[in-house]
Amino acid sequence: MNKIEYRVEHKDPPVFTPEVVIFDSPEEVDRYAASCLIKKIQEEKATALTLPTGTTPIGIYRQLVEAYSQGTVSFSKVRVFNLDEYWPIDPNNPSSYTSYMKQHFIDLVDIKRDSWDIPNGAAIDPNKESHRYEESLKAVPQIDIAVLGIGPGRTGHIGFNEKGSLVNSRTRYVELDPETATVNSNFFQIPQDIPRGAITQGIANILEAKNILLVAKGQSKTWGISRSLNGPIYSDCPASYLRYHPNVVIVLDRQAATSLG
Ligand code: F6R
């Protein structure tokens, strides 16, 4: 009689509990997040960062620019990769993420122009541009810190990895979730001009970073935060995939933390 051996394969990656830090005010969140980045940049000879845009990090960039002006930190050995950019969009459009980055950070500090990359919203073929961006990311062995926001309402997105994004997704073209498009159209002079899609780093790119710092402020983030931390790890809330990463810090103001009790 043949003995059949059953081998149990553990395909699910291990799950971790992110560290959650809660502050009374959005300003304290900005100061804390900026201080984490400054500390890392001061400690390392060279640092690679993945950075977000949106309303949430504006105060963080303000803190970083202030620290640079005061001589506390230099970005001359820092490489920056943005999470995402709308597609199609003229990078000179004031509502592009390229313009945002120049306005709030890149043009205000000593980062070398060729040490910053962001998907090109004017690329003719978004698939080719996604491939170019993947290759560009290979310029560094690993991202030291990926800073993230989280999508509003029930989107639960990170980058523009909307609902349905898979854990192994990489840089690619995605269509914006209708809820994302509605909220973000407010940042376009003519709301209907918001592009229907974006090029975004994927979930796998984000999870490859050494450390992840997710920042969330305000009521519109309560569902996403609570669902990410306490719900199933599933594609209906892509931020829940962060629990597959061992070094995640989630920085919240009181409002974003409301549903955590
Ligand atoms: C932007 C990005 C998005 C935003 C998120 C939150 O580069 O990747 O995931 O972080 O939509 O946006 P705000 O901060 O405007 O609420």
Side-chain angles (χ1 to χ4, degrees), residues 11-145:
K11 283 192 180 136
D12 285 340
V15 171
F16 302 90
T17 305
E19 181 187 342
V20 180
V21 189
I22 302 169
F23 290 99
D24 285 332
S25 71
E27 294 73 27
E28 287 169 281
V29 170
D30 296 339
R31 274 199 294 276
Y32 180 79
S35 71
C36 294
L37 294 174
I38 291 169
K39 190 163 168 268
K40 192 76 179 166
I41 293 166
Q42 288 168 338
E43 277 169 10
E44 310 266 328
K45 282 208 182 78
T47 315
L49 305 175
T50 280
L51 293 180
T53 57
T55 311
T56 311
I58 290 178
I60 303 174
Y61 291 127
R62 204 177 294 132
Q63 294 284 332
L64 294 178
V65 170
E66 198 178 307
Y68 164 71
S69 314
Q70 290 168 352
T72 312
V73 68
S74 164
F75 297 91
S76 62
K77 294 202 173 88
V78 173
R79 287 191 85 112
V80 167
F81 294 91
N82 267 91
L83 271 169
D84 42 23
E85 173 61 287
Y86 292 110
W87 189 90
I89 197 166
D90 178 346
N92 295 315
N93 181 323
S95 302
S96 76
Y97 285 165
T98 307
S99 297
Y100 172 107
M101 286 305 288
K102 288 182 176 174
Q103 182 195 343
H104 293 290
F105 186 54
I106 300 292
D107 286 353
L108 310 179
V109 296
D110 61 344
I111 184 163
K112 296 195 191 89
R113 182 59 188 79
D114 61 0
S115 294
W116 169 49
D117 205 355
I118 182 165
N120 179 6
I124 292 170
D125 179 343
N127 298 326
K128 273 194 190 152
E129 176 56 13
S130 301
H131 180 72
R132 181 203 67 80
Y133 205 63
E134 277 288 317
E135 290 300 308
S136 177
L137 280 162
K138 288 182 188 157
V140 293
Q142 198 176 9
I143 295 290
D144 294 291
I145 305 186

Side-chain angles (χ1 to χ4, degrees), residues 51-58 82-86 97 100-101 147-152 155 157-162 180 183-184 187 200 206 215-217 220-221:
L51 293 180
T53 57
T55 311
T56 311
I58 290 178
N82 267 91
L83 271 169
D84 42 23
E85 173 61 287
Y86 292 110
Y97 285 165
Y100 172 107
M101 286 305 288
V147 184
L148 310 174
I150 184 168
T155 61
H157 70 221
I158 44 177
F160 272 136
N161 294 283
E162 301 284 19
T180 303
V183 173
N184 287 20
F187 300 99
T200 184
I206 292 170
V215 183
K217 301 183 233 172
S220 74
K221 305 299 169 69

Side-chain angles (χ1 to χ4, degrees), residues 241-254:
Y241 290 130
L242 295 177
R243 280 161 43 213
Y244 286 143
H245 194 286
N247 299 311
V248 177
V249 178
I250 298 188
V251 191
L252 306 172
D253 70 355
R254 282 267 163 235

Side-chain angles (χ1 to χ4, degrees), residues 182-209:
T182 303
V183 173
N184 287 20
S185 66
N186 293 319
F187 300 99
F188 285 75
Q189 216 172 11
I190 303 169
Q192 301 89 291
D193 281 353
I194 186 168
R196 297 173 65 148
I199 296 173
T200 184
Q201 288 193 36
I203 300 290
N205 300 98
I206 292 170
L207 295 181
E208 280 164 11

